[in-house]
Amino acid sequence: MRKIIILLLVLSFIGCAQVQPGHEYYVSKVIDGDTIELGNGQRVRYLGLDTPETRKRQGETWVYAPEPYAEAAAEFNRKLVEGKQARLEFDVQKKDKYNRLLAYCFVGDVFVNAELLKNGYALLYTSSPNVKYVDILVKAQQDARRNNRGLWGEIPQISAKEARRYFDRMAVVEGKVTSIRQSPKVTVLNFGQSGFKAVIFKEQLAIFMSSAVSVRAYRGKTLRVTGKVKEYRGEAEIIVRHPSAIEVLD
């Protein structure tokens, strides 16, 4: 029994030691716009961003059904990293639930995560406590949005009452916040009879607080909320991960 325990500990150590922060690793394959595979077979999911999906689930299987800019994002990522040596930096959380490494990726002087955002191939996807480079990533996205690069030139601007027609699509949703509901886990901005909601979970609320943004001040304001429209109990919502996803119009 003692030998088995020692062997398991050794194997665990070897598995953890496969990828070390700050070291360079050969990128053998690009999976999609925000995921790569290293030469040792380990998959890496970029931190701080989300690119359009190339697949969607139908029942129990996944089918190839690329969203707008999904293929372009994968190709741009491929040009940046595939067949090259990449340096990885970690944040607080090292892996996700799929056992992929979570990392910031650098090839030479190029910050790959920021390049994808700056060129409009991705959207900011911050999640506390992984906010090491959030300021750089926010600025990269703002630059892409200001110049209508990539997907920013095609994201539809819709009213809150239209949001149900855009499930699983990126959109800028405009409407007036009529009420705000808060619990220990989540803050919900309600947009009246439209049924649309902007949802801020506790982890992201900490980012709002650190940015000196008062969520309560959104009550009665007309907002534009940017993100992927999701369906929840028959209604439309956007999960907001950073204050930059909300623009106050009045």
Side-chain angles (χ1 to χ4, degrees):
M1 177 63 73
R2 186 166 178 267
K3 289 183 178 179
I4 293 174
I5 293 174
I6 292 173
L7 178 61
L8 289 173
L9 288 172
V10 170
L11 291 174
S12 175
F13 173 77
I14 292 173
C16 293
Q18 285 181 346
V19 176
Q20 296 295 326
H23 289 217
E24 290 194 346
Y25 296 90
Y26 179 75
V27 179
S28 62
K29 183 167 61 175
V30 163
I31 306 301
D32 55 28
D34 52 36
T35 308
I36 59 175
E37 186 173 296
L38 304 180
N40 62 5
Q42 176 70 64
R43 291 197 173 184
V44 180
R45 173 64 160 83
Y46 295 155
L47 279 168
L49 61 88
D50 188 35
T51 58
E53 302 294 337
T54 56
R55 302 182 304 158
K56 69 177 181 180
R57 183 179 287 277
Q58 286 188 352
E60 296 300 316
T61 62
W62 288 90
V63 296
Y64 184 72
E67 296 176 350
Y69 273 87
E71 293 175 321
E75 182 59 28
F76 186 74
N77 190 23
R78 189 170 290 111
K79 289 179 179 178
L80 290 175
V81 303
E82 194 167 85
K84 300 178 182 179
Q85 295 292 122
R87 177 170 57 86
L88 303 179
E89 286 191 23
F90 300 135
D91 212 320
V92 177
Q93 296 171 326
K94 304 298 188 298
K95 288 188 177 183
D96 65 9
K97 62 182 179 180
Y98 304 109
N99 202 39
R100 298 177 299 186
L101 292 172
L102 298 172
Y104 304 103
C105 181
F106 299 83
V107 174
D109 295 329
V110 176
F111 184 9
V112 175
N113 307 51
E115 283 297 302
L116 282 157
L117 285 164
K118 186 177 179 180
N119 286 276
Y121 292 109
L123 288 180
L124 189 72
Y125 191 86
T126 59
S127 182
S128 182
N130 301 317
V131 293
K132 183 177 181 180
Y133 288 112
V134 66
D135 291 341
I136 293 174
L137 299 178
V138 167
K139 288 179 181 178
Q141 175 167 279
Q142 288 173 337
D143 187 59
R145 186 171 189 172
R146 186 165 50 247
N147 291 284
N148 288 322
R149 294 196 192 103
L151 57 81
W152 290 104
E154 297 188 16
I155 293 179
Q157 293 197 15
I158 62 174
S159 66
K161 65 182 180 181
E162 296 177 284
R164 291 183 184 178
R165 294 162 42 197
Y166 287 80
F167 287 150
D168 294 320
R169 292 178 58 187
M170 298 301 308
V172 179
V173 182
E174 181 176 323
K176 186 174 183 178
V177 178
T178 57
S179 65
I180 298 175
R181 177 173 59 83
Q182 284 190 295
S183 73
K185 294 184 177 181
V186 67
T187 297
V188 179
L189 311 182
N190 296 300
F191 288 70
Q193 294 182 350
S194 69
F196 174 71
K197 297 175 174 60
V199 180
I200 308 169
F201 287 103
K202 179 179 66 175
E203 294 79 8
Q204 279 64 54
L205 188 61
I207 300 175
F208 280 76
M209 295 173 66
S210 65
S211 302
V213 175
S214 171
V215 175
R216 284 289 178 184
Y218 291 141
R219 188 193 304 272
K221 300 291 186 180
T222 299
L223 308 180
R224 283 184 184 147
V225 184
T226 300
K228 181 175 285 188
V229 180
K230 293 290 188 179
E231 184 271 335
Y232 181 70
R233 295 182 178 177
E235 296 189 339
E237 67 177 30
I238 287 178
I239 297 174
V240 179
R241 298 182 175 276
H242 192 272
S244 62
I246 297 178
E247 178 185 1
V248 181
L249 301 183
D250 59 20

